[in-house]
């Protein structure tokens, strides 16, 4: 069984496990399972909004893609042809702040926990060549609201996927320690269920590599 991510292991109770994955309930250190959820707010520039529109159109035109670097600039390439191996179009690959942070506050004791921060958690966030451009950015947060429930209190569950063992991870990726390995999950899903209405939401569903 893969380990619980070290950064939140003290608030996770494993409910199901299998080959390369675990499912856990989130339980506060005080014993409560009820939380209020918050997500960081990203302020997108006009350039980013326009680029995202262009990127969406680009991805809608082709079924196969690759990347190339020309004169130090990375490009996304759209592929066509019988074997989808002919580059017919390309656009510059630009990087903007896409940080996702999910935190919860216990509805009983008020303690806060970061369930996921894409800058520091998941495979791409812990590899030696990770990007650290936004590490010191301080974000504002907005509460995740639920319809027909002003309090918006919910229970939370988390599923993470990882290599089967530390040894497998080292063989497939790089030499590391158990704590780093536990935080190097390849995907994370955070689900929530409203206490009052029983409505369910997927808060995060991300591949992290």
């Amino acid at each position: 069984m893969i380990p619980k991510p070290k950064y939140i292991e003290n608030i996770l109770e494993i409910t199901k496990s299998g080959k390369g994955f675990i499912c856990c309930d989130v339980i506060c250190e005080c014993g409560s399972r009820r939380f209020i959820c918050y997500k960081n707010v990203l302020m997108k520039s006009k350039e980013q909004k326009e680029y995202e529109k262009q990127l969406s159109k680009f991805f809608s035109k082709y079924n196969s893609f690759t990347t190339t670097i020309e004169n130090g600039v990375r490009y996304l390439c759209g592929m066509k042809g019988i074997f989808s191996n002919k580059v017919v179009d390309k656009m510059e690959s630009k990087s903007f702040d896409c940080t996702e942070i999910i935190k919860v506050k216990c509805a009983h004791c008020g303690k806060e926990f970061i369930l996921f921060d894409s800058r520091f958690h998941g495979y791409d966030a812990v590899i030696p060549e990770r990007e650290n451009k936004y590490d010191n950015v301080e974000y504002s947060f907005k509460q995740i609201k639920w319809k027909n429930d002003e309090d918006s209190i919910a229970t939370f569950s988390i599923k993470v996927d990882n290599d089967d063992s530390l040894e497998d991870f080292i063989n497939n990726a790089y030499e590391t320690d158990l704590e780093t390995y536990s935080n190097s999950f390849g995907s994370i899903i955070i689900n929530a269920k409203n206490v009052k209405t029983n409505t369910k939401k997927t808060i995060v569903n991300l591949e992290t590599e």
Side-chain angles (χ1 to χ4, degrees):
M1 181 175 69
I2 67 171
K4 294 183 284 187
K6 188 70 175 179
Y7 71 96
I8 47 171
E9 67 173 353
N10 60 318
I11 59 168
L12 295 184
E13 180 181 88
I14 296 176
T15 57
K16 185 178 180 181
S17 63
K19 185 176 177 60
F21 79 90
I22 54 172
C23 297
C24 306
D25 286 341
V26 180
I27 304 175
C28 182
E29 293 168 336
C30 74
S32 175
R33 295 173 180 262
R34 300 183 173 195
F35 299 90
I36 300 167
C37 187
Y38 302 86
K39 189 178 188 304
N40 67 309
V41 177
L42 290 175
M43 302 300 293
K44 294 184 179 182
S45 65
K46 289 183 179 180
E47 179 189 3
Q48 181 176 355
K49 291 178 181 178
E50 182 58 33
Y51 176 75
E52 288 178 351
K53 289 180 182 179
Q54 294 174 3
L55 192 63
S56 179
K57 291 180 181 178
F58 186 80
F59 281 137
S60 69
K61 292 166 62 177
Y62 308 101
N63 295 321
S64 182
F65 303 90
T66 188
T67 60
T68 185
I69 297 177
E70 300 177 13
N71 299 319
V73 179
R74 181 179 294 276
Y75 290 90
L76 294 170
C77 303
M79 314 284 284
K80 281 190 176 182
I82 297 175
F83 302 104
S84 295
N85 59 354
K86 181 180 179 181
V87 174
V88 295
D89 195 6
K90 65 181 181 180
M91 66 178 292
E92 184 179 345
S93 176
K94 297 182 179 181
S95 177
F96 296 96
D97 187 1
C98 297
T99 301
E100 285 202 51
I101 308 173
I102 302 298
K103 71 177 182 180
V104 291
K105 181 173 73 173
C106 177
H108 178 70
C109 71
K111 191 166 185 177
E112 294 187 354
F113 304 93
I114 300 292
L115 296 187
F116 178 68
D117 185 332
S118 62
R119 298 173 298 176
F120 309 116
H121 309 139
Y123 183 84
D124 283 349
V126 300
I127 57 175
E129 57 271 24
R130 65 180 293 272
E131 181 181 352
N132 58 8
K133 185 177 180 180
Y134 303 105
D135 281 7
N136 296 319
V137 176
E138 293 187 8
Y139 298 93
S140 58
F141 286 82
K142 182 178 181 180
Q143 184 180 347
I144 293 179
K145 292 287 190 177
W146 295 76
K147 187 177 180 180
N148 299 322
D149 180 17
E150 185 176 342
D151 294 329
S152 294
I153 296 173
T155 59
F156 289 79
S157 63
I158 295 177
K159 179 186 177 185
V160 293
D161 292 87
N162 211 334
D163 284 278
D164 285 341
S165 67
L166 176 59
E167 291 75 19
D168 290 337
F169 187 80
I170 291 174
N171 289 334
N172 296 328
Y174 61 93
E175 189 74 28
T176 189
D177 55 40
L178 183 60
E179 178 175 348
T180 303
Y181 160 64
S182 75
N183 295 333
S184 301
F185 44 84
S187 68
I188 182 169
I189 300 174
I190 301 177
N191 289 317
K193 184 178 179 181
N194 185 274
V195 171
K196 180 179 179 181
T197 65
N198 287 325
T199 307
K200 297 179 181 179
K201 280 185 182 182
T202 296
I203 308 299
V204 164
N205 186 352
L206 281 177
E207 299 287 335
T208 62
E209 58 180 334

